[in-house]
Amino acid sequence: MNRRNLAALSLVSALLVATACSGGGGDGGGSGESGGDVTLTYWASNQGTSLDDDREVLTPVLEDFTEQTGIAVDLEVIGWSDLQTRIQTAVTSGQAPDVVNIGNTWAVSLQATGAFLPFDDAAMETIGGADKFVETALETGGAEGTDPTSVPLYGLAYGLYYNRAMFERAGLEPPTTWEEMVSAAQALTDPDAGVYGMALAAGSYTENNHFAFINATQNGAELFDDDGNPTFTEDGVVDGIVRYLDLMQSDDVVNPSNAQYDNASLAVADFATGKAAMILNQNNANATIEANGMSPDQYGVVPFPAPADAPSDVASHVAGINMSVFANTEHPDEALQLVAHMTSEEVQTTLGKPFSSLPVLKDAEAVFTEDAEQAEIFTQIYNERSAPLPLVPAEDQFETTVGQAMNRMFATVATGGTVTADDVREAMQAAQDQVQASVG
């Protein structure tokens, strides 16, 4: 999903704890009173096609909440390019909303600031209990062994999308292993025709760090040790990155121009227009695929495959959006009621289609697509074959350092250079040293 570097937050955590206790309210944030009734301020992240689209989707959901509880909600939808800065400013100034959406990989970094309300047993019971959530999704809410400071709101997972007609013409079955995926991609690559077996967002540091994590996890490797120190130079991490780079470098199934693709929608467009037979994307790709002219019956999805002998069959990180309550809210009880409402089965079903999200609740039905098979596959990936990105405060720095290093390595490959395992290890050592310096 969209991720932003929150390193500055953890570096000033002592300041943040102090300022976060200054109380809510004030200009531009906090909660106020409206005619004696409580009004909550809610910052929602942009999930739909525009900020206006999100407001249109969320307004009736929040009006229902007000009708049920008497609690008004002042909604502001914030774009991803601004959300990190807005949250950082709110944390450091104490002028915060009551409730906010966060990218779930930010959770531990934000937790370290002390600026957010812990979901202890009582708070969790207020919102319906921890047992209602998909277990791996709830794990993203905070560091292991602590009360989480965020809970799941919208789920996302990666899948391998494939062009049915291309596969059928070539007599190929959807791949179940990495080796089968590469073999199929090679069979479907025809550079003279401008067609490649796969398209990647190889210039996107967010996509690249996600696949560094997934490939490393398939290899049984960890990116941080038990003390929160980075271990980016482990063989399993290095080998996983090499495997991913080789899709462009030695397997020749990715167009070198993909090194300039700085967001996933560019790869999706290639897939939808027949320039690529496969893409790796999250389940919210459907709308973009279909907007580019590809009908739902023309593509299928399978889990992102691991090598045949891989120690783990993890197919995605636990992607998505979490919901947090600022600790300085003047209305914690009402804020928790809003969280309970937004994570209720009814609201999850209402928002699943327009926001193309997977349900974060156990046994809930995915409604982001009318394709029952695809809904089942993505739900199974999210619930059973996903793992949280490292649950350490420095996770955000892993994303930027490793992701940007992979951007540079793909650029080297795209311009005719070679990236060896030693080159990858050297790049990972530099990233590790940078992160370690902040960990202390």
Side-chain angles (χ1 to χ4, degrees):
M1 185 68 206
N2 295 283
R3 309 286 185 256
R4 299 293 183 266
N5 180 14
L6 297 173
L9 293 176
S10 55
L11 292 176
V12 294
S13 59
L15 171 64
L16 306 183
V17 172
T19 58
C21 296
S22 64
D27 296 336
S31 55
E33 300 291 335
S34 176
D37 297 326
V38 171
T39 298
L40 298 174
T41 302
Y42 174 34
W43 287 359
S45 55
N46 180 208
Q47 300 299 311
T49 57
S50 68
L51 303 185
D52 286 340
D53 176 66
D54 278 26
R55 279 190 286 269
E56 185 176 343
V57 170
L58 289 171
T59 294
V61 170
L62 297 175
E63 287 176 344
D64 286 346
F65 172 72
T66 300
E67 184 175 346
Q68 294 170 26
T69 64
I71 302 166
V73 181
D74 181 8
L75 169 68
E76 182 176 358
V77 182
I78 301 175
W80 282 101
S81 60
D82 299 319
L83 187 59
Q84 179 264 331
T85 301
R86 294 288 300 277
I87 292 175
Q88 183 177 356
T89 300
V91 169
T92 55
S93 69
Q95 302 302 310
D98 300 281
V99 182
V100 65
N101 289 5
I102 66 170
N104 65 6
T105 66
W106 304 355
V108 179
S109 299
L110 289 173
Q111 182 185 47
T113 70
F116 295 88
L117 185 75
F119 285 87
D120 57 17
D121 290 344
M124 196 66 78
E125 189 63 29
T126 298
I127 66 169
D131 288 345
K132 77 176 186 179
F133 294 107
V134 173
E135 185 175 353
T136 53
L138 187 59
E139 288 176 7
T140 66
E144 186 176 358
T146 67
D147 290 326
T149 52
S150 66
V151 294
L153 179 61
Y154 308 127
L156 294 166
Y158 278 104
L160 177 67
Y161 287 78
Y162 66 94
N163 183 306
R164 292 186 185 275
M166 287 185 179
F167 269 70
E168 289 172 4
R169 284 196 299 267
L172 297 169
E173 295 294 325
T176 60
T177 66
W178 178 273
E179 293 81 3
E180 290 177 359
M181 182 185 76
V182 172
S183 178
Q186 289 172 331
L188 295 168
T189 295
D190 184 357
D192 292 339
V195 177
Y196 284 80
M198 298 190 74
L200 302 177
S204 164
Y205 86 86
T206 54
E207 294 294 295
N208 281 333
N209 76 66
H210 294 165
F211 286 103
F213 169 77
I214 296 168
N215 282 285
T217 303
Q218 290 175 345
N219 288 347
E222 300 282 349
L223 288 153
F224 289 84
D225 64 22
D226 291 341
D227 296 321
N229 297 305
T231 55
F232 304 164
T233 59
E234 273 193 28
D235 287 347
V237 178
V238 172
D239 292 346
I241 292 174
V242 170
R243 185 165 73 234
Y244 192 64
L245 292 171
D246 278 348
L247 291 171
M248 181 185 292
Q249 178 169 245
S250 60
D251 300 327
D252 297 320
V253 298
V254 174
N255 191 328
S257 67
N258 286 187
Q260 301 177 53
Y261 284 11
D262 60 1
N263 68 78
S265 65
L266 297 170
V268 172
D270 278 1
F271 176 72
T273 55
K275 296 178 182 178
M278 289 178 279
I279 53 169
L280 295 163
N281 214 287
Q282 294 176 7
N283 58 279
N284 56 3
N286 292 20
T288 304
I289 292 172
E290 291 159 27
N292 278 275
M294 196 175 196
S295 62
D297 63 328
Q298 292 178 306
Y299 61 89
V301 177
V302 292
F304 171 51
D309 60 352
S312 169
D313 68 349
V314 162
S316 179
H317 77 288
V318 182
I321 309 304
N322 284 7
M323 201 171 193
S324 292
V325 175
F326 270 89
N328 65 348
T329 177
E330 296 174 359
H331 306 292
D333 294 340
E334 291 83 357
L336 289 173
Q337 288 184 63
L338 178 59
V339 175
H341 179 72
M342 295 299 293
T343 60
S344 66
E345 185 172 353
E346 179 182 0
V347 171
Q348 287 281 296
T349 300
T350 298
L351 298 179
K353 179 66 174 179
F355 290 164
S356 297
S357 62
L358 293 166
V360 299
L361 306 178
K362 292 177 182 176
D363 302 322
E365 182 179 352
V367 296
F368 73 97
T369 176
E370 295 180 1
D371 185 323
E373 180 182 5
Q374 188 181 138
E376 181 180 358
I377 288 170
F378 271 116
T379 299
Q380 191 260 342
I381 294 169
Y382 183 72
N383 289 16
E384 302 174 22
R385 292 184 59 183
S386 297
L389 283 163
L391 298 172
V392 297
E395 186 281 331
D396 57 305
Q397 296 171 66
F398 150 72
E399 293 195 24
T400 53
T401 58
V402 171
Q404 290 170 1
M406 290 176 67
N407 285 7
R408 293 189 290 271
M409 289 186 278
F410 268 121
T412 296
V413 172
T415 54
T418 300
V419 177
T420 67
D422 287 342
D423 294 329
V424 173
R425 195 178 305 277
E426 182 179 350
M428 291 303 99
Q429 184 67 62
Q432 181 171 301
D433 290 345
Q434 185 175 339
V435 175
Q436 186 65 59
S438 69
V439 172

